[in-house]
Amino acid sequence: MVGSDRASYYSESIKCYAIFELESGRMHEIKITMLGPSGVGKTTLLTAIYEQFESNIGKTNLQLTPDEESSAILQERLVELKTLLNDFEATGGIQGTEGEPEELRSFIFGLGQKGQKPSLQLHFQDYPGGYHAAKATPEKRQFVKNLLTDCVAVLIAVDAPALMEQNGKWHELINRPQQMTDLFKTAYQDLDSPRLVIFAPVKCEKYLQTEASAKELLQRVKEGYSRLIDLFNSANLLPKVAVVVNPVQTVGSVVFSRIDTNSSTPHFRFRKISHNAIYNPQDSEQPLRYLLRFILKLHLDARSRSWGLFSFLRDWLGRDYHLKQAVSQFASECKTNNGFALLQGEELLKIN
């Protein structure tokens, strides 16, 4: 199978994930996609989320269980992140996933009560950042558009140093905000059900040290993605799209140091906060808290509305009071200060 055919195959597969068959006993599925160019930090973000499953969700009666392939892949990536701390200075996180179709990856987690069979799947889709490159084939570009159309939630990984340093000089080159905006212009036409979009600045440890620097990071996200935020704030999308800024310290003990340039190409350097610093991610569970809060709100609203894609939510959770309580408990601890913000869609996340 050639590359373009393989990308088309995956694209068709993603469309099929929207089919829910309650009668057949299949587990229902919520689809989430990572979004961002190569090297921006999509896989690093997903790895940090995975690492925090047990330490945060474990405090409730919830259980998130990765399938065997997802567990093995993310464990390898976790080892890569931890090895960053072997040297006092590093060049960044996990190396960007190159644009080979073979690198398309799905990460699937079962969600349910501890000690019981999961009743819902959370399906995270990762893909090579090269799918955004100028040389990407039409099939690869269409694949990303299909992801945005079909997924309930989108996590936009934001390279924080590119956004913050040297007055944002490298933001357009690395984060490609206009390209992200153009993708949503197409994918979010005529939305018939709500969506959640999370801006997730990564490699942001330096900018969360004080309340003032965290406030500046939030303001720069608003400025750097102003056109996309304006799109979400338009009359047609405002009632349907919840937008959150959720910084994630993917390593926690490594901060931005400097930028070296070679032939006009920036190389971002990072350093450990101390020689004996250990891997210590912060707030990487917050995207999951927002996601489950959004899903719980959809469940509450599905009792009185007809949303085809989410019709199964009328039954899910409603049949299990204890699961609903566990989800509500976990989702109640979403942060909204010190760099975190709910930009719009408060009604889409209100569960009280």
Side-chain angles (χ1 to χ4, degrees):
M1 186 182 294
V2 299
S4 60
D5 290 340
R6 190 179 286 109
S8 297
Y9 167 77
Y10 279 108
S11 182
E12 290 303 314
S13 297
I14 289 296
K15 294 179 183 178
C16 292
Y17 294 148
I19 302 174
F20 298 101
E21 300 180 10
L22 183 59
E23 295 78 10
S24 68
R26 284 181 55 187
M27 193 183 306
H28 299 307
E29 184 176 64
I30 293 291
K31 295 176 297 173
I32 309 102
T33 187
M34 318 304 290
L35 184 67
S38 181
V40 77
K42 298 190 302 300
T43 307
T44 301
L45 173 59
L46 186 55
T47 303
I49 292 173
Y50 160 76
E51 194 275 338
Q52 290 288 290
F53 279 175
E54 291 299 321
S55 58
N56 288 279
I57 293 181
K59 297 176 183 178
T60 72
N61 195 36
L62 286 178
Q63 181 169 283
L64 274 167
T65 308
D67 66 7
E68 291 184 3
E69 182 178 4
S70 299
S71 178
I73 294 171
L74 287 172
Q75 183 60 44
E76 291 177 359
R77 296 305 177 103
L78 180 58
V79 170
E80 288 182 47
L81 274 182
K82 289 184 176 182
T83 58
L84 289 175
L85 298 167
N86 291 342
D87 299 316
F88 191 73
E89 188 173 86
T91 57
I94 295 172
Q95 293 299 309
T97 306
E98 297 300 328
E100 292 298 323
E102 290 81 4
E103 295 299 328
L104 283 168
R105 294 248 174 87
S106 292
F107 300 92
I108 299 174
F109 302 88
L111 173 66
Q113 289 189 74
K114 291 179 179 177
Q116 294 187 8
K117 182 178 180 180
S119 56
L120 185 73
Q121 280 188 349
L122 300 181
H123 183 144
F124 290 84
Q125 178 69 48
D126 194 9
Y127 63 91
Y131 278 33
H132 293 291
K135 63 182 180 181
T137 65
E139 291 81 8
K140 293 176 181 178
R141 296 178 186 276
Q142 188 60 47
F143 174 82
V144 177
K145 292 178 182 178
N146 288 344
L147 280 178
L148 291 182
T149 301
D150 296 337
C151 287
V152 172
V154 180
L155 272 66
I156 303 176
V158 179
D159 188 304
L163 176 69
M164 298 291 289
E165 300 299 327
Q166 298 180 3
N167 294 318
K169 176 180 179 180
W170 305 106
H171 175 52
E172 294 287 340
L173 174 67
I174 293 177
N175 289 314
R176 303 193 181 191
Q178 186 57 53
Q179 187 176 16
M180 302 299 106
T181 302
D182 292 341
L183 283 167
F184 278 102
K185 284 179 181 179
T186 300
Y188 277 19
Q189 292 177 6
D190 301 319
L191 278 183
D192 60 359
S193 54
R195 297 291 189 271
L196 171 65
V197 177
I198 299 176
F199 290 97
V202 295
K203 311 171 192 174
C204 59
E205 285 81 351
K206 173 185 175 180
Y207 317 108
L208 296 175
Q209 301 301 309
T210 67
E211 183 177 348
S213 61
K215 184 177 180 180
E216 182 182 359
L217 173 62
L218 174 59
Q219 183 60 34
R220 295 290 284 274
V221 170
K222 292 179 180 179
E223 294 171 356
Y225 290 90
S226 59
R227 293 180 182 177
L228 180 52
I229 292 171
D230 286 345
L231 173 66
F232 294 145
N233 196 245
S234 62
N236 288 328
L237 294 183
L238 181 60
K240 299 175 182 176
V241 182
V243 181
V244 173
V245 177
N246 184 152
V248 175
Q249 300 180 58
T250 48
V251 178
S253 49
V254 172
V255 296
F256 169 80
S257 175
R258 70 181 192 276
I259 300 175
D260 295 335
T261 56
N262 181 14
S263 301
S264 300
T265 300
H267 297 275
F268 291 80
R269 305 292 180 178
F270 300 80
R271 61 175 177 79
K272 295 194 295 185
I273 57 176
S274 66
H275 281 281
N276 60 350
I278 62 173
Y279 180 68
N280 185 32
Q282 303 290 322
D283 298 322
S284 57
E285 91 290 351
Q286 284 292 320
L288 279 176
R289 292 189 191 276
Y290 271 105
L291 175 64
L292 293 187
R293 189 182 185 102
F294 182 70
I295 292 172
L296 180 56
K297 176 60 173 178
L298 288 177
H299 157 71
L300 297 174
D301 285 355
R303 295 176 299 182
S304 59
R305 301 188 186 185
S306 177
W307 289 333
L309 183 60
F310 306 118
S311 60
F312 73 92
L313 288 171
R314 293 190 183 95
D315 299 308
W316 188 75
L317 285 181
R319 295 176 296 178
D320 193 329
Y321 171 80
H322 297 290
L323 177 60
K324 181 177 177 180
Q325 288 299 106
V327 171
S328 180
Q329 178 186 351
F330 180 71
S332 67
E333 298 182 26
C334 293
K335 291 188 174 182
T336 56
N337 55 16
N338 292 327
F340 292 76
L342 173 57
L343 301 186
Q344 71 176 56
E346 182 178 357
E347 289 299 318
L348 295 173
L349 291 163
K350 184 180 293 185
I351 57 178
N352 296 326

